[in-house]
Amino acid sequence: MNLSATPTWLRLTLAVWLMLAVALGGMIAWETKVSRDTSIEQAGDFANSIHDMTMAGLSSMMLTGTIGQRELFLDQIKELSILKDLQVIRAAGVSSQYGDGGHPAPVLDPAEKEVLASSKALISVERDSEHGHFLRVVKPVLASKNYLGKDCTLCHSVPEGTPLGLVSMKISLEKVDATVDAFLWKSMIVATLLSLPLIAVLGLIVRRYVLRVLGGEPDYAVDITHRVAEGDLSVHIRLQPKDKGSLLFAMQAMIDNLTRIIGQVSSSSDKLNNAAGQVAATAQSLSQSSSQQAASVEETTSSIELMTTSITQNTENAKVTDEIAAKAAIEAPEGGAAVNKTVD
């Protein structure tokens, strides 16, 4: 299965479902463990009751002189379905004082030896091919001045706290296992039935949220973003029906606006190029006119210079004429006088 081709909303839903499954599985496992521990604790309480009941019965049989019925009494207790094995073992001191009761002392296993040596009860969960899964309980019987209302030290002549024997039993845990397994399967079925509609609703919510916010798959939105970033404004975005507020809708609006702005900038650039051409032509025309005006000014300057020269010459000529006229005016009377003398 190619997960990359799976819709993102479905991947998110599956991830949430897996986390929910892990959480529910952990809770169920924890509840199962608590239930099993509670059942084993109850089995331990039952073992304590069997221990007290057995020792109370045997003590009563000793006091009433019916201890010969010991094995019958123990066999009756062993008939309990939950009890796989029960042994009452005398300590060496009791056997030497009262004998073995017609039964040779059994061979003690390591657990029983440990209990007699330490005077401490041993409780453990074990399993074997004969008895299956069971709770092994080995409890010592200690001399006490008030054990079930009786003073043990009077009959056995031993210090208080001395081990008088032990009670070893195996409590079946098959019913406990069956009950716990049934609880486990029921819990798993209930959790599955409850989680399926919850996951379905969650999937719809996630899908709606993703489509409403992004407008499509995140991978598709990323691809569109990269194409726009590379300058490709020809891309057309596939939008969901009635989509008016998603990310992809906004990107499509951005692409449309950019396309429009770029078109306006291109049109303005063309107009600017045309205006620049006109300005260049006008500048060239002005340059030609300026050259022509400069030539005319130069010609005018030359004409003015010629006129200035002519005026200067005329002025000089006028001065000469004036001098000649003045001289003529002086010489005229003299000429007239000479003519008169000549006439006379």
Side-chain angles (χ1 to χ4, degrees):
M1 182 179 180
N2 187 7
L3 291 179
S4 60
T6 306
T8 301
W9 67 268
L10 183 56
R11 281 181 281 171
L12 289 174
T13 303
L14 289 176
V16 173
W17 182 79
L18 287 175
M19 290 188 291
L20 181 61
V22 171
L24 289 176
M27 291 178 61
I28 292 173
W30 181 77
E31 288 289 344
T32 302
K33 183 179 183 303
V34 171
S35 178
R36 186 182 299 276
D37 292 343
T38 301
S39 298
I40 292 175
E41 184 178 352
Q42 291 174 351
D45 294 338
F46 174 78
N48 291 331
S49 298
I50 292 294
H51 174 271
D52 293 341
M53 181 183 67
T54 301
M55 295 310 302
L58 292 176
S59 298
S60 297
M61 293 172 70
M62 289 179 64
L63 294 175
T64 59
T66 57
I67 194 63
Q69 304 296 319
R70 176 177 181 272
E71 294 302 322
L72 179 61
F73 172 70
L74 295 178
D75 288 340
Q76 286 298 112
I77 297 177
K78 291 178 184 179
E79 290 298 319
L80 294 173
S81 61
I82 195 173
L83 196 60
K84 294 294 183 180
D85 186 36
L86 174 65
Q87 291 187 27
V88 178
I89 302 174
R90 294 176 176 181
V94 176
S95 297
S96 62
Q97 183 179 2
Y98 295 101
D100 57 10
H103 298 279
V107 178
L108 301 181
D109 62 22
E112 293 166 345
K113 291 179 181 179
E114 179 184 350
V115 170
L116 282 179
S118 64
S119 299
K120 294 181 179 179
L122 184 147
I123 299 177
S124 63
V125 177
E126 300 179 7
R127 184 187 300 271
D128 61 28
S129 58
E130 180 181 359
H131 301 100
H133 193 208
F134 59 89
L135 181 69
R136 177 71 186 280
V137 179
V138 182
K139 296 195 65 175
V141 179
L142 304 178
S144 173
K145 290 185 177 297
N146 184 18
Y147 182 75
L148 299 176
K150 301 175 180 64
D151 187 353
C152 302
T153 60
L154 296 177
C155 296
H156 296 282
S157 302
V158 293
E160 188 175 8
T162 302
L164 302 177
L166 57 83
V167 177
S168 177
M169 68 188 81
K170 296 178 181 179
I171 308 298
S172 174
L173 296 179
E174 293 178 358
K175 290 185 177 180
V176 172
D177 293 338
T179 302
V180 171
D181 290 342
F183 170 78
L184 174 63
W185 283 107
K186 288 179 181 179
S187 299
M188 292 178 62
I189 293 173
V190 171
T192 302
L193 294 177
L194 291 178
S195 64
L196 288 178
L198 178 63
I199 290 300
V201 173
L202 180 62
L204 292 176
I205 294 175
V206 172
R207 182 177 184 274
R208 182 176 180 182
Y209 177 79
V210 170
L211 294 180
R212 181 171 61 85
V213 175
L214 297 181
E217 288 297 315
D219 294 339
Y220 179 67
V222 170
D223 179 64
I224 293 296
T225 303
H226 286 166
R227 292 177 63 181
V228 173
E230 292 171 356
D232 183 8
L233 298 181
S234 63
V235 61
H236 178 71
I237 301 177
R238 300 190 303 271
L239 298 176
Q240 299 292 326
K242 300 181 180 180
D243 185 357
K244 299 297 181 181
S246 69
L247 174 65
L248 289 178
F249 176 82
M251 291 185 66
Q252 183 63 60
M254 180 185 69
I255 291 173
D256 295 340
N257 290 333
L258 286 175
T259 303
R260 177 176 54 81
I261 292 172
I262 291 174
Q264 293 176 352
V265 171
S266 178
S267 176
S268 299
S269 177
D270 292 339
K271 292 180 181 179
L272 184 60
N273 288 334
N274 293 333
Q278 294 176 359
V279 171
T282 303
Q284 186 176 2
S285 176
L286 289 174
S287 177
Q288 292 176 355
S289 299
S290 298
S291 298
Q292 292 175 356
Q293 289 179 359
S296 299
V297 171
E298 186 176 356
E299 292 176 357
T300 302
T301 303
S302 299
S303 299
I304 291 173
E305 289 179 353
L306 291 175
M307 289 177 63
T308 302
T309 303
S310 298
I311 291 171
T312 303
Q313 290 179 352
N314 289 333
T315 301
E316 294 293 332
N317 292 334
K319 288 181 179 179
V320 172
T321 302
D322 183 64
E323 290 177 354
I324 292 174
K327 185 176 179 182
I330 294 172
E331 290 180 351
E334 294 178 354
V339 171
N340 287 331
K341 285 181 180 183
T342 300
V343 174
D344 291 336

mmCIF file of all heavy atoms in Angstrom, residues 91-136:
data_model
loop_
_atom_site.group_PDB
_atom_site.id
_atom_site.type_symbol
_atom_site.label_atom_id
_atom_site.label_comp_id
_atom_site.label_asym_id
_atom_site.label_seq_id
_atom_site.Cartn_x
_atom_site.Cartn_y
_atom_site.Cartn_z
ATOM 1 N N ALA A 91 6.592 -30.561 61.472
ATOM 2 C CA ALA A 91 8.018 -30.283 61.642
ATOM 3 C C ALA A 91 8.671 -31.457 62.353
ATOM 4 O O ALA A 91 8.010 -32.333 62.941
ATOM 5 C CB ALA A 91 8.201 -28.989 62.432
ATOM 6 N N ALA A 92 9.987 -31.483 62.280
ATOM 7 C CA ALA A 92 10.727 -32.619 62.871
ATOM 8 C C ALA A 92 10.446 -32.739 64.363
ATOM 9 O O ALA A 92 10.311 -33.858 64.902
ATOM 10 C CB ALA A 92 12.222 -32.433 62.614
ATOM 11 N N GLY A 93 10.306 -31.622 65.077
ATOM 12 C CA GLY A 93 10.056 -31.654 66.515
ATOM 13 C C GLY A 93 8.717 -32.261 66.846
ATOM 14 O O GLY A 93 8.570 -33.035 67.812
ATOM 15 N N VAL A 94 7.701 -31.936 66.066
ATOM 16 C CA VAL A 94 6.355 -32.468 66.295
ATOM 17 C C VAL A 94 6.334 -33.964 65.995
ATOM 18 O O VAL A 94 5.707 -34.764 66.708
ATOM 19 C CB VAL A 94 5.328 -31.717 65.436
ATOM 20 C CG1 VAL A 94 3.938 -32.312 65.591
ATOM 21 C CG2 VAL A 94 5.304 -30.234 65.817
ATOM 22 N N SER A 95 7.011 -34.359 64.896
ATOM 23 C CA SER A 95 7.051 -35.789 64.551
ATOM 24 C C SER A 95 7.756 -36.606 65.630
ATOM 25 O O SER A 95 7.334 -37.727 65.958
ATOM 26 C CB SER A 95 7.759 -35.974 63.202
ATOM 27 O OG SER A 95 7.043 -35.353 62.175
ATOM 28 N N SER A 96 8.814 -36.047 66.203
ATOM 29 C CA SER A 96 9.520 -36.774 67.259
ATOM 30 C C SER A 96 8.700 -36.848 68.538
ATOM 31 O O SER A 96 8.814 -37.796 69.314
ATOM 32 C CB SER A 96 10.869 -36.103 67.548
ATOM 33 O OG SER A 96 10.661 -34.769 68.017
ATOM 34 N N GLN A 97 7.804 -35.846 68.747
ATOM 35 C CA GLN A 97 6.987 -35.821 69.962
ATOM 36 C C GLN A 97 5.735 -36.669 69.817
ATOM 37 O O GLN A 97 5.359 -37.417 70.740
ATOM 38 C CB GLN A 97 6.612 -34.374 70.303
ATOM 39 C CG GLN A 97 5.815 -34.246 71.591
ATOM 40 C CD GLN A 97 5.477 -32.786 71.908
ATOM 41 O OE1 GLN A 97 5.805 -31.871 71.153
ATOM 42 N NE2 GLN A 97 4.839 -32.569 73.047
ATOM 43 N N TYR A 98 5.051 -36.571 68.649
ATOM 44 C CA TYR A 98 3.770 -37.252 68.471
ATOM 45 C C TYR A 98 3.821 -38.346 67.401
ATOM 46 O O TYR A 98 2.804 -39.013 67.161
ATOM 47 C CB TYR A 98 2.687 -36.243 68.081
ATOM 48 C CG TYR A 98 2.390 -35.237 69.171
ATOM 49 C CD1 TYR A 98 2.916 -33.962 69.127
ATOM 50 C CD2 TYR A 98 1.584 -35.586 70.252
ATOM 51 C CE1 TYR A 98 2.636 -33.036 70.133
ATOM 52 C CE2 TYR A 98 1.304 -34.671 71.259
ATOM 53 C CZ TYR A 98 1.835 -33.391 71.185
ATOM 54 O OH TYR A 98 1.566 -32.485 72.175
ATOM 55 N N GLY A 99 4.972 -38.513 66.779
ATOM 56 C CA GLY A 99 5.065 -39.507 65.722
ATOM 57 C C GLY A 99 4.627 -38.937 64.391
ATOM 58 O O GLY A 99 4.201 -37.784 64.269
ATOM 59 N N ASP A 100 4.692 -39.791 63.354
ATOM 60 C CA ASP A 100 4.362 -39.319 62.009
ATOM 61 C C ASP A 100 2.902 -39.528 61.642
ATOM 62 O O ASP A 100 2.484 -39.287 60.517
ATOM 63 C CB ASP A 100 5.257 -40.001 60.971
ATOM 64 C CG ASP A 100 5.133 -41.527 61.031
ATOM 65 O OD1 ASP A 100 4.230 -42.016 61.740
ATOM 66 O OD2 ASP A 100 5.929 -42.206 60.371
ATOM 67 N N GLY A 101 2.104 -39.997 62.624
ATOM 68 C CA GLY A 101 0.678 -40.190 62.358
ATOM 69 C C GLY A 101 0.400 -41.323 61.402
ATOM 70 O O GLY A 101 -0.672 -41.381 60.797
ATOM 71 N N GLY A 102 1.325 -42.242 61.283
ATOM 72 C CA GLY A 102 1.103 -43.381 60.384
ATOM 73 C C GLY A 102 1.465 -43.101 58.950
ATOM 74 O O GLY A 102 1.235 -43.955 58.086
ATOM 75 N N HIS A 103 1.989 -41.931 58.701
ATOM 76 C CA HIS A 103 2.387 -41.565 57.343
ATOM 77 C C HIS A 103 3.837 -41.096 57.378
ATOM 78 O O HIS A 103 4.198 -40.230 58.192
ATOM 79 C CB HIS A 103 1.497 -40.447 56.794
ATOM 80 C CG HIS A 103 0.049 -40.852 56.697
ATOM 81 N ND1 HIS A 103 -0.450 -41.594 55.661
ATOM 82 C CD2 HIS A 103 -0.993 -40.628 57.551
ATOM 83 C CE1 HIS A 103 -1.740 -41.802 55.844
ATOM 84 N NE2 HIS A 103 -2.102 -41.218 57.006
ATOM 85 N N PRO A 104 4.682 -41.676 56.544
ATOM 86 C CA PRO A 104 6.079 -41.230 56.520
ATOM 87 C C PRO A 104 6.176 -39.766 56.122
ATOM 88 O O PRO A 104 5.343 -39.241 55.385
ATOM 89 C CB PRO A 104 6.724 -42.138 55.473
ATOM 90 C CG PRO A 104 5.602 -42.580 54.607
ATOM 91 C CD PRO A 104 4.404 -42.688 55.516
ATOM 92 N N ALA A 105 7.178 -39.114 56.651
ATOM 93 C CA ALA A 105 7.362 -37.686 56.347
ATOM 94 C C ALA A 105 7.639 -37.500 54.860
ATOM 95 O O ALA A 105 8.485 -38.193 54.288
ATOM 96 C CB ALA A 105 8.519 -37.126 57.175
ATOM 97 N N PRO A 106 6.901 -36.604 54.198
ATOM 98 C CA PRO A 106 7.118 -36.374 52.766
ATOM 99 C C PRO A 106 8.448 -35.663 52.518
ATOM 100 O O PRO A 106 9.010 -35.027 53.412
ATOM 101 C CB PRO A 106 5.932 -35.499 52.383
ATOM 102 C CG PRO A 106 5.589 -34.763 53.629
ATOM 103 C CD PRO A 106 5.858 -35.727 54.762
ATOM 104 N N VAL A 107 8.913 -35.805 51.296
ATOM 105 C CA VAL A 107 10.143 -35.108 50.895
ATOM 106 C C VAL A 107 9.797 -33.640 50.629
ATOM 107 O O VAL A 107 8.900 -33.325 49.827
ATOM 108 C CB VAL A 107 10.752 -35.753 49.640
ATOM 109 C CG1 VAL A 107 12.002 -34.978 49.221
ATOM 110 C CG2 VAL A 107 11.065 -37.213 49.901
ATOM 111 N N LEU A 108 10.453 -32.773 51.328
ATOM 112 C CA LEU A 108 10.178 -31.331 51.182
ATOM 113 C C LEU A 108 10.827 -30.785 49.911
ATOM 114 O O LEU A 108 11.974 -31.137 49.583
ATOM 115 C CB LEU A 108 10.695 -30.564 52.397
ATOM 116 C CG LEU A 108 10.129 -30.972 53.758
ATOM 117 C CD1 LEU A 108 10.731 -30.101 54.861
ATOM 118 C CD2 LEU A 108 8.614 -30.879 53.770
ATOM 119 N N ASP A 109 10.101 -29.932 49.218
ATOM 120 C CA ASP A 109 10.704 -29.258 48.057
ATOM 121 C C ASP A 109 11.407 -27.997 48.540
ATOM 122 O O ASP A 109 11.300 -27.601 49.716
ATOM 123 C CB ASP A 109 9.640 -28.954 46.995
ATOM 124 C CG ASP A 109 8.553 -28.021 47.501
ATOM 125 O OD1 ASP A 109 8.789 -27.284 48.478
ATOM 126 O OD2 ASP A 109 7.446 -28.018 46.931
ATOM 127 N N PRO A 110 12.162 -27.320 47.692
ATOM 128 C CA PRO A 110 12.928 -26.139 48.124
ATOM 129 C C PRO A 110 12.068 -25.056 48.765
ATOM 130 O O PRO A 110 12.492 -24.424 49.741
ATOM 131 C CB PRO A 110 13.566 -25.640 46.823
ATOM 132 C CG PRO A 110 13.693 -26.871 45.984
ATOM 133 C CD PRO A 110 12.488 -27.696 46.300
ATOM 134 N N ALA A 111 10.863 -24.830 48.239
ATOM 135 C CA ALA A 111 10.000 -23.788 48.800
ATOM 136 C C ALA A 111 9.600 -24.139 50.228
ATOM 137 O O ALA A 111 9.601 -23.284 51.131
ATOM 138 C CB ALA A 111 8.762 -23.594 47.928
ATOM 139 N N GLU A 112 9.263 -25.394 50.475
ATOM 140 C CA GLU A 112 8.842 -25.815 51.807
ATOM 141 C C GLU A 112 10.015 -25.764 52.796
ATOM 142 O O GLU A 112 9.851 -25.380 53.953
ATOM 143 C CB GLU A 112 8.263 -27.218 51.727
ATOM 144 C CG GLU A 112 6.954 -27.259 50.939
ATOM 145 C CD GLU A 112 6.526 -28.658 50.546
ATOM 146 O OE1 GLU A 112 7.363 -29.585 50.623
ATOM 147 O OE2 GLU A 112 5.353 -28.832 50.158
ATOM 148 N N LYS A 113 11.191 -26.158 52.340
ATOM 149 C CA LYS A 113 12.374 -26.064 53.201
ATOM 150 C C LYS A 113 12.649 -24.602 53.573
ATOM 151 O O LYS A 113 12.992 -24.291 54.719
ATOM 152 C CB LYS A 113 13.584 -26.656 52.496
ATOM 153 C CG LYS A 113 13.508 -28.167 52.310
ATOM 154 C CD LYS A 113 14.745 -28.676 51.570
ATOM 155 C CE LYS A 113 14.679 -30.184 51.356
ATOM 156 N NZ LYS A 113 15.861 -30.694 50.615
ATOM 157 N N GLU A 114 12.493 -23.732 52.609
ATOM 158 C CA GLU A 114 12.746 -22.305 52.865
ATOM 159 C C GLU A 114 11.763 -21.754 53.893
ATOM 160 O O GLU A 114 12.143 -20.978 54.784
ATOM 161 C CB GLU A 114 12.638 -21.511 51.548
ATOM 162 C CG GLU A 114 12.857 -20.020 51.712
ATOM 163 C CD GLU A 114 12.658 -19.245 50.416
ATOM 164 O OE1 GLU A 114 12.542 -19.899 49.350
ATOM 165 O OE2 GLU A 114 12.601 -18.000 50.480
ATOM 166 N N VAL A 115 10.501 -22.153 53.804
ATOM 167 C CA VAL A 115 9.483 -21.655 54.734
ATOM 168 C C VAL A 115 9.769 -22.161 56.147
ATOM 169 O O VAL A 115 9.670 -21.406 57.130
ATOM 170 C CB VAL A 115 8.084 -22.086 54.270
ATOM 171 C CG1 VAL A 115 7.046 -21.801 55.353
ATOM 172 C CG2 VAL A 115 7.709 -21.353 52.988
ATOM 173 N N LEU A 116 10.138 -23.433 56.295
ATOM 174 C CA LEU A 116 10.457 -23.948 57.622
ATOM 175 C C LEU A 116 11.699 -23.280 58.201
ATOM 176 O O LEU A 116 11.773 -23.047 59.417
ATOM 177 C CB LEU A 116 10.675 -25.466 57.561
ATOM 178 C CG LEU A 116 9.411 -26.330 57.495
ATOM 179 C CD1 LEU A 116 9.777 -27.804 57.402
ATOM 180 C CD2 LEU A 116 8.518 -26.087 58.713
ATOM 181 N N ALA A 117 12.651 -22.962 57.345
ATOM 182 C CA ALA A 117 13.888 -22.339 57.830
ATOM 183 C C ALA A 117 13.679 -20.879 58.196
ATOM 184 O O ALA A 117 14.245 -20.379 59.182
ATOM 185 C CB ALA A 117 14.986 -22.475 56.780
ATOM 186 N N SER A 118 12.857 -20.194 57.443
ATOM 187 C CA SER A 118 12.692 -18.748 57.658
ATOM 188 C C SER A 118 11.473 -18.398 58.491
ATOM 189 O O SER A 118 11.356 -17.269 58.980
ATOM 190 C CB SER A 118 12.590 -18.026 56.312
ATOM 191 O OG SER A 118 11.424 -18.441 55.616
ATOM 192 N N SER A 119 10.550 -19.358 58.648
ATOM 193 C CA SER A 119 9.282 -19.116 59.367
ATOM 194 C C SER A 119 8.465 -18.001 58.715
ATOM 195 O O SER A 119 7.687 -17.320 59.381
ATOM 196 C CB SER A 119 9.564 -18.758 60.834
ATOM 197 O OG SER A 119 10.240 -19.825 61.477
ATOM 198 N N LYS A 120 8.647 -17.832 57.394
ATOM 199 C CA LYS A 120 7.901 -16.805 56.652
ATOM 200 C C LYS A 120 7.125 -17.463 55.519
ATOM 201 O O LYS A 120 7.620 -18.400 54.866
ATOM 202 C CB LYS A 120 8.840 -15.748 56.079
ATOM 203 C CG LYS A 120 9.526 -14.910 57.154
ATOM 204 C CD LYS A 120 10.425 -13.856 56.510
ATOM 205 C CE LYS A 120 11.100 -13.008 57.589
ATOM 206 N NZ LYS A 120 12.008 -11.985 57.008
ATOM 207 N N ALA A 121 5.898 -16.995 55.296
ATOM 208 C CA ALA A 121 5.048 -17.575 54.252
ATOM 209 C C ALA A 121 5.622 -17.274 52.871
ATOM 210 O O ALA A 121 6.309 -16.263 52.646
ATOM 211 C CB ALA A 121 3.634 -17.017 54.370
ATOM 212 N N LEU A 122 5.334 -18.161 51.941
ATOM 213 C CA LEU A 122 5.761 -17.988 50.548
ATOM 214 C C LEU A 122 4.536 -18.085 49.653
ATOM 215 O O LEU A 122 3.769 -19.065 49.738
ATOM 216 C CB LEU A 122 6.791 -19.065 50.180
ATOM 217 C CG LEU A 122 7.419 -18.969 48.777
ATOM 218 C CD1 LEU A 122 8.857 -19.462 48.803
ATOM 219 C CD2 LEU A 122 6.606 -19.792 47.762
ATOM 220 N N ILE A 123 4.347 -17.099 48.804
ATOM 221 C CA ILE A 123 3.225 -17.082 47.867
ATOM 222 C C ILE A 123 3.800 -16.769 46.485
ATOM 223 O O ILE A 123 4.500 -15.753 46.305
ATOM 224 C CB ILE A 123 2.170 -16.030 48.251
ATOM 225 C CG1 ILE A 123 1.600 -16.340 49.632
ATOM 226 C CG2 ILE A 123 1.051 -15.994 47.219
ATOM 227 C CD1 ILE A 123 0.602 -15.292 50.117
ATOM 228 N N SER A 124 3.536 -17.602 45.513
ATOM 229 C CA SER A 124 4.044 -17.385 44.158
ATOM 230 C C SER A 124 3.068 -17.963 43.145
ATOM 231 O O SER A 124 2.307 -18.895 43.455
ATOM 232 C CB SER A 124 5.429 -18.030 43.991
ATOM 233 O OG SER A 124 5.353 -19.448 44.161
ATOM 234 N N VAL A 125 3.099 -17.390 41.941
ATOM 235 C CA VAL A 125 2.263 -17.890 40.844
ATOM 236 C C VAL A 125 3.125 -18.816 40.000
ATOM 237 O O VAL A 125 4.194 -18.428 39.528
ATOM 238 C CB VAL A 125 1.724 -16.720 39.994
ATOM 239 C CG1 VAL A 125 0.916 -17.259 38.815
ATOM 240 C CG2 VAL A 125 0.871 -15.786 40.848
ATOM 241 N N GLU A 126 2.662 -20.035 39.801
ATOM 242 C CA GLU A 126 3.440 -21.038 39.084
ATOM 243 C C GLU A 126 2.568 -21.755 38.061
ATOM 244 O O GLU A 126 1.340 -21.608 38.039
ATOM 245 C CB GLU A 126 4.052 -22.051 40.066
ATOM 246 C CG GLU A 126 4.987 -21.413 41.096
ATOM 247 C CD GLU A 126 5.553 -22.435 42.067
ATOM 248 O OE1 GLU A 126 5.320 -23.652 41.838
ATOM 249 O OE2 GLU A 126 6.200 -22.028 43.057
ATOM 250 N N ARG A 127 3.230 -22.541 37.236
ATOM 251 C CA ARG A 127 2.519 -23.308 36.207
ATOM 252 C C ARG A 127 3.281 -24.615 35.967
ATOM 253 O O ARG A 127 4.517 -24.609 35.857
ATOM 254 C CB ARG A 127 2.426 -22.506 34.913
ATOM 255 C CG ARG A 127 1.611 -23.179 33.813
ATOM 256 C CD ARG A 127 1.717 -22.402 32.503
ATOM 257 N NE ARG A 127 1.220 -21.057 32.641
ATOM 258 C CZ ARG A 127 -0.045 -20.707 32.442
ATOM 259 N NH1 ARG A 127 -0.946 -21.637 32.104
ATOM 260 N NH2 ARG A 127 -0.432 -19.451 32.574
ATOM 261 N N ASP A 128 2.562 -25.699 35.877
ATOM 262 C CA ASP A 128 3.166 -26.972 35.483
ATOM 263 C C ASP A 128 2.167 -27.784 34.681
ATOM 264 O O ASP A 128 0.990 -27.414 34.553
ATOM 265 C CB ASP A 128 3.678 -27.751 36.705
ATOM 266 C CG ASP A 128 2.574 -28.092 37.694
ATOM 267 O OD1 ASP A 128 1.404 -28.229 37.262
ATOM 268 O OD2 ASP A 128 2.863 -28.243 38.894
ATOM 269 N N SER A 129 2.653 -28.890 34.125
ATOM 270 C CA SER A 129 1.807 -29.692 33.233
ATOM 271 C C SER A 129 0.699 -30.416 33.983
ATOM 272 O O SER A 129 -0.350 -30.719 33.415
ATOM 273 C CB SER A 129 2.667 -30.710 32.475
ATOM 274 O OG SER A 129 3.375 -31.552 33.393
ATOM 275 N N GLU A 130 0.902 -30.721 35.265
ATOM 276 C CA GLU A 130 -0.088 -31.472 36.029
ATOM 277 C C GLU A 130 -1.213 -30.601 36.554
ATOM 278 O O GLU A 130 -2.397 -30.953 36.447
ATOM 279 C CB GLU A 130 0.606 -32.183 37.206
ATOM 280 C CG GLU A 130 -0.352 -32.993 38.059
ATOM 281 C CD GLU A 130 0.363 -33.661 39.237
ATOM 282 O OE1 GLU A 130 1.604 -33.491 39.349
ATOM 283 O OE2 GLU A 130 -0.323 -34.320 40.039
ATOM 284 N N HIS A 131 -0.849 -29.461 37.127
ATOM 285 C CA HIS A 131 -1.852 -28.610 37.774
ATOM 286 C C HIS A 131 -2.195 -27.354 36.968
ATOM 287 O O HIS A 131 -3.089 -26.601 37.365
ATOM 288 C CB HIS A 131 -1.355 -28.187 39.164
ATOM 289 C CG HIS A 131 -1.075 -29.335 40.069
ATOM 290 N ND1 HIS A 131 0.188 -29.811 40.296
ATOM 291 C CD2 HIS A 131 -1.915 -30.135 40.808
ATOM 292 C CE1 HIS A 131 0.150 -30.825 41.134
ATOM 293 N NE2 HIS A 131 -1.129 -31.060 41.460
ATOM 294 N N GLY A 132 -1.498 -27.119 35.874
ATOM 295 C CA GLY A 132 -1.766 -25.925 35.072
ATOM 296 C C GLY A 132 -1.266 -24.666 35.753
ATOM 297 O O GLY A 132 -0.190 -24.638 36.355
ATOM 298 N N HIS A 133 -2.077 -23.610 35.680
ATOM 299 C CA HIS A 133 -1.727 -22.319 36.281
ATOM 300 C C HIS A 133 -2.303 -22.268 37.691
ATOM 301 O O HIS A 133 -3.515 -22.421 37.880
ATOM 302 C CB HIS A 133 -2.295 -21.194 35.416
ATOM 303 C CG HIS A 133 -1.739 -19.845 35.748
ATOM 304 N ND1 HIS A 133 -2.436 -18.680 35.540
ATOM 305 C CD2 HIS A 133 -0.549 -19.462 36.272
ATOM 306 C CE1 HIS A 133 -1.715 -17.649 35.912
ATOM 307 N NE2 HIS A 133 -0.558 -18.106 36.361
ATOM 308 N N PHE A 134 -1.459 -22.053 38.671
ATOM 309 C CA PHE A 134 -1.951 -22.096 40.048
ATOM 310 C C PHE A 134 -1.164 -21.123 40.929
ATOM 311 O O PHE A 134 -0.089 -20.618 40.544
ATOM 312 C CB PHE A 134 -1.839 -23.512 40.634
ATOM 313 C CG PHE A 134 -0.433 -24.054 40.638
ATOM 314 C CD1 PHE A 134 0.416 -23.832 41.713
ATOM 315 C CD2 PHE A 134 0.043 -24.786 39.561
ATOM 316 C CE1 PHE A 134 1.710 -24.328 41.728
ATOM 317 C CE2 PHE A 134 1.338 -25.295 39.565
ATOM 318 C CZ PHE A 134 2.174 -25.062 40.637
ATOM 319 N N LEU A 135 -1.736 -20.860 42.103
ATOM 320 C CA LEU A 135 -1.098 -20.032 43.121
ATOM 321 C C LEU A 135 -0.519 -20.974 44.178
ATOM 322 O O LEU A 135 -1.254 -21.709 44.839
ATOM 323 C CB LEU A 135 -2.113 -19.072 43.747
ATOM 324 C CG LEU A 135 -1.563 -18.128 44.824
ATOM 325 C CD1 LEU A 135 -0.624 -17.098 44.204
ATOM 326 C CD2 LEU A 135 -2.717 -17.427 45.545
ATOM 327 N N ARG A 136 0.796 -20.941 44.314
ATOM 328 C CA ARG A 136 1.467 -21.793 45.303
ATOM 329 C C ARG A 136 1.555 -21.009 46.611
ATOM 330 O O ARG A 136 2.147 -19.914 46.675
ATOM 331 C CB ARG A 136 2.872 -22.147 44.818
ATOM 332 C CG ARG A 136 3.680 -22.991 45.833
ATOM 333 C CD ARG A 136 3.140 -24.382 45.924
ATOM 334 N NE ARG A 136 3.772 -25.162 46.966
ATOM 335 C CZ ARG A 136 4.961 -25.772 46.862
ATOM 336 N NH1 ARG A 136 5.663 -25.666 45.734
ATOM 337 N NH2 ARG A 136 5.422 -26.497 47.853
#
